[in-house]
Amino acid sequence: MVTDRPGHATAADSSDGVEELTRYAEQRLVSIFQDFQDPSQEWRRLFSELLGTFFLVLVAAGGGMMGQAFPNTISRTAAVVAPGLMVMAIILFMGKVSGAHLNPAVSIAFALRGDFQWRRVPGYIVVQLVGAALAAWFLQAVVNVSASYGSNYPAASYSSWDAFLMETVLTLGLVSVILGTASGAQNLGVFGALGVGGYIALAGLWGSPISGTSMNPARTFGPDLVSADFGSYWVYMAGPLVGAAIAVGIAFVLRGRGGGLAGSAAAQGALFTEAEHPDQR
């Protein structure tokens, strides 16, 4: 029963209050999703990195695991080309959100170069590792083979040191391509995705027999975590990090300090809030 006695809310007052609260909630939700330039929107970038790394590892680790589940159906060529195509697609569909690093070595390289804030690196690395682990767990649950078949290991007739050197050199090339296509006149937009994806496929075609061409600590971390086997993980953590650091040094020799506005935009996506070296073009 509706009452309008003093001190008692009417049904109309209650309805108005609910409508006002609903409008406020809607406005707040819209503002959260529209305010791209707000630094507090880092969660959006982190989600982008998690999702992108999930899809990368889904394909990269999935090739070996699907090959184990369905023998003679997936060739080595297909298994190493697929991650390159996936990275190309990821860069195109979410590169403007987070920069599409998908790789701790890339995040660290951008920070070393001065195109990405160091304070943001730990968050990127954590979600990249989480995305990789989720992909490996999903594959193991669905494909029903051990995630170890989707990891990377030195070839039987080669030492861990050989695999380390291969991962270092291959990552040196990968990060050089990434930094090169994120600098000034070389910032080629969609062609950057083609360059990075093409390099990953090319490196896999000739380098995978020795080390598996991970070039990414997160890519190997996921399957190793799910299969609880970190016996060779140091190769796939140290090799890419050393290769990335050397690539930053080479980028300095070739182009100088930082990638300027173009480099910051490529490293941080369209949502970036700071250019570390705006004077550099």
Side-chain angles (χ1 to χ4, degrees), residues 253-268:
V253 172
L254 294 176
R255 302 177 186 86
R257 182 170 176 260
L261 289 172
S264 293
Q268 303 178 54

Side-chain angles (χ1 to χ4, degrees), residues 59-113:
V59 169
M65 295 175 70
M66 292 292 282
Q68 177 66 22
F70 303 96
N72 304 317
T73 59
I74 298 179
S75 66
R76 183 178 72 88
T77 299
V80 300
V81 169
L85 296 176
M86 177 58 80
V87 167
M88 187 187 308
I90 292 170
I91 293 173
L92 291 174
F93 94 81
M94 54 157 266
K96 288 293 185 181
V97 178
S98 66
H101 298 189
L102 316 178
N103 184 339
V106 172
S107 298
I108 290 173
F110 273 130
L112 285 172
R113 193 185 186 210

Side-chain angles (χ1 to χ4, degrees), residues 156-249:
S157 56
Y158 290 82
S159 68
S160 294
W161 178 249
D162 293 328
F164 166 79
L165 291 177
M166 182 63 76
E167 287 294 311
T168 298
V169 171
L170 293 176
T171 309
L172 162 62
L174 172 63
V175 175
S176 293
V177 171
I178 292 171
L179 297 182
T181 56
S183 297
Q186 285 79 35
N187 194 342
L188 302 175
V190 65
F191 292 105
L194 295 175
V196 175
Y199 178 87
I200 292 173
L202 178 62
L205 286 172
W206 75 270
S208 61
I210 292 180
S211 68
T213 59
S214 171
M215 302 179 287
N216 184 340
R219 179 261 179 270
T220 304
F221 173 84
D224 282 359
L225 177 67
V226 174
S227 63
D229 179 8
F230 286 93
S232 299
Y233 183 66
W234 75 268
V235 170
Y236 302 96
M237 178 179 66
L241 293 179
V242 172
I246 297 173
V248 172

Side-chain angles (χ1 to χ4, degrees), residues 26-169:
E26 290 176 351
Q27 292 170 357
R28 179 59 180 163
L29 185 62
V30 169
S31 68
I32 288 175
F33 279 90
Q34 286 182 339
D35 193 1
F36 285 99
Q37 298 302 328
D38 185 349
S40 68
Q41 299 301 300
E42 186 72 0
W43 67 269
R44 186 192 304 274
R45 303 169 177 90
L46 295 177
F47 176 75
S48 175
E49 285 295 306
L50 186 151
L51 181 65
T53 309
F54 173 88
F55 279 117
L56 167 59
V57 176
L58 192 69
V59 169
M65 295 175 70
M66 292 292 282
Q68 177 66 22
F70 303 96
N72 304 317
T73 59
I74 298 179
S75 66
R76 183 178 72 88
T77 299
V80 300
V81 169
L85 296 176
M86 177 58 80
V87 167
M88 187 187 308
I90 292 170
I91 293 173
L92 291 174
F93 94 81
M94 54 157 266
K96 288 293 185 181
V97 178
S98 66
H101 298 189
L102 316 178
N103 184 339
V106 172
S107 298
I108 290 173
F110 273 130
L112 285 172
R113 193 185 186 210
D115 293 328
F116 192 73
Q117 296 82 31
W118 277 106
R119 61 181 172 78
R120 297 176 61 191
V121 171
Y124 265 52
I125 292 177
V126 168
V127 296
Q128 289 159 2
L129 296 178
V130 170
L134 288 174
W137 173 81
F138 174 84
L139 286 167
Q140 182 167 279
V142 174
V143 182
N144 202 29
V145 299
S146 172
S148 62
Y149 291 105
S151 190
N152 304 108
Y153 303 96
S157 56
Y158 290 82
S159 68
S160 294
W161 178 249
D162 293 328
F164 166 79
L165 291 177
M166 182 63 76
E167 287 294 311
T168 298
V169 171

